[in-house]
Amino acid sequence: MKVFKAGAAAAVAVVLSLTATACGGGGGDKAAEGGKDKIVIGIKYDQPGLGLKTPDGKFTGFDVDVATYVAKELGYKPEQIEFKQAVSAERENLIANGDVKLVVATYTINDKRKARVDFAGPYFLAHQDLLVRADDNSITKPEDLNKKKLCSVTGSTSAQNVKTKLAPEADLREYPGYSECLTGLENGSVDALTTDNSILAGFAAQEKNKGKFKLVGLKMSDEPYGIGLKKGDKDLQTKVNAALKKMVEDGSWQKAVDANLGPAGYKAEPAPQITEGS
């Protein structure tokens, strides 16, 4: 009987050992031999030029290029990256629950978010701007939106900021998504679309939109994009910051900006100084 118990205990120990080996946490798994298996990174799926999942299942955009570069510096090949959709309202939860290791998704660093997650970076500085029709020269400053039809996505703070602080007489139209705003802008049912200039540039740079729209070139807010990660993971934060610095220094950062946002005539700010974790 004692022999049987000892054998059973050994079997249980083996099972527990295998289970522990198979279960990875924090969005990154390691193979049984100790080598890196994959890394899960949250991105946007619906922002052309930044984070977009194409109909054939591929991922493109500046944030995708940044995520791929950082993952490479962490020891992962492109085929070891698993991209997971990170809608704005779920980014903190994805990180805190360990569903992703990193979030690279036009993720503005602010104090409210830093109460729940840590950031590396920033790696990009965007500003709130306006997108108008290419032949419209009537809007050159926020105040010109008074009596004009201003579009943004339902629940967006961008349009409310304009209407509350800059153009109180603007006729605010809220649509479910950016594509509806772009359609309205093209057919004249709205006069301008507002959100981060990087997002606007991405939409304007799409092949189907080239030549139709232009950025006004305003800086109505500062939006420093950071890479979100689990709170307290200082080692990962340090490694990601080092990867971002290297990306700027070797020219890969500028190349990614030009390739993804350049077609819209977007002139990005120089790469910002890294402030998180310092």
Side-chain angles (χ1 to χ4, degrees):
M1 192 69 178
K2 288 182 181 179
V3 173
F4 173 79
K5 287 183 177 179
V12 170
V14 170
V15 171
L16 289 174
S17 175
L18 290 171
T19 302
T21 302
C23 293
D29 298 321
K30 292 189 177 182
E33 296 80 12
K36 293 177 180 176
D37 183 19
K38 70 174 183 178
I39 184 170
V40 184
I41 302 177
I43 62 167
K44 291 291 180 68
Y45 276 19
D46 59 352
Q47 291 181 345
L50 292 159
L52 181 70
K53 184 177 182 180
T54 61
D56 60 0
K58 295 180 180 179
F59 299 95
T60 66
F62 176 70
D63 278 351
V64 174
D65 289 348
V66 170
T68 302
Y69 188 100
V70 169
K72 177 194 72 174
E73 292 301 306
L74 294 177
Y76 298 92
K77 298 176 182 178
E79 59 269 23
Q80 293 174 296
I81 302 171
E82 178 184 328
F83 288 119
K84 186 178 183 71
Q85 186 173 24
V87 298
S88 295
E90 289 298 316
R91 289 177 295 200
E92 287 87 41
N93 290 334
L94 288 171
I95 295 169
N97 294 339
D99 297 319
V100 298
K101 192 78 169 178
L102 304 170
V103 166
V104 191
T106 58
Y107 201 5
T108 298
I109 301 169
N110 62 38
D111 289 340
K112 182 179 179 181
R113 290 166 178 164
K114 286 168 70 171
R116 293 193 62 194
V117 302
D118 280 339
F119 286 93
Y123 64 91
F124 193 86
L125 180 60
H127 304 283
Q128 186 181 343
D129 199 357
L130 300 172
L131 191 72
V132 299
R133 288 180 290 278
D135 60 355
D136 186 354
N137 297 314
S138 68
I139 300 173
T140 60
K141 56 186 183 297
E143 293 77 10
D144 292 336
L145 290 168
N146 285 313
K147 308 296 187 184
K148 299 273 192 180
K149 295 181 285 291
L150 174 65
C151 189
S152 195
V153 173
T154 303
S156 165
T157 58
S158 300
Q160 293 293 344
N161 286 342
V162 173
K163 186 167 175 59
T164 303
K165 302 173 184 177
L166 302 171
E169 295 181 49
D171 181 4
L172 180 58
R173 308 287 178 92
E174 292 185 292
Y175 292 170
Y178 290 113
S179 60
E180 290 90 344
C181 282
L182 286 165
T183 299
L185 189 57
E186 184 176 3
N187 65 30
S189 61
V190 299
D191 300 304
L193 163 61
T194 187
T195 188
D196 294 0
N197 53 7
S198 56
I199 297 173
L200 296 175
F203 280 107
Q206 280 187 293
E207 193 64 39
K208 64 181 180 180
N209 294 326
K210 284 182 180 177
K212 295 180 181 179
F213 310 113
K214 66 181 180 182
L215 292 163
V216 175
L218 304 178
K219 296 180 180 180
M220 295 185 283
S221 70
D222 290 336
E223 307 293 339
Y225 294 165
I227 296 181
L229 49 94
K230 199 153 194 173
K231 197 161 187 64
D233 194 340
K234 298 302 180 185
D235 181 58
L236 180 60
Q237 184 184 50
T238 299
K239 290 177 180 177
V240 174
N241 279 335
L244 292 175
K245 289 177 182 176
K246 183 177 178 180
M247 187 177 186
V248 173
E249 291 168 356
D250 69 14
S252 299
W253 183 90
Q254 189 61 55
K255 183 179 179 181
V257 170
D258 294 342
N260 292 293
L261 302 175
Y266 179 74
K267 293 179 175 57
E269 297 267 1
Q273 291 294 314
I274 290 175
T275 58
E276 301 305 301
S278 58

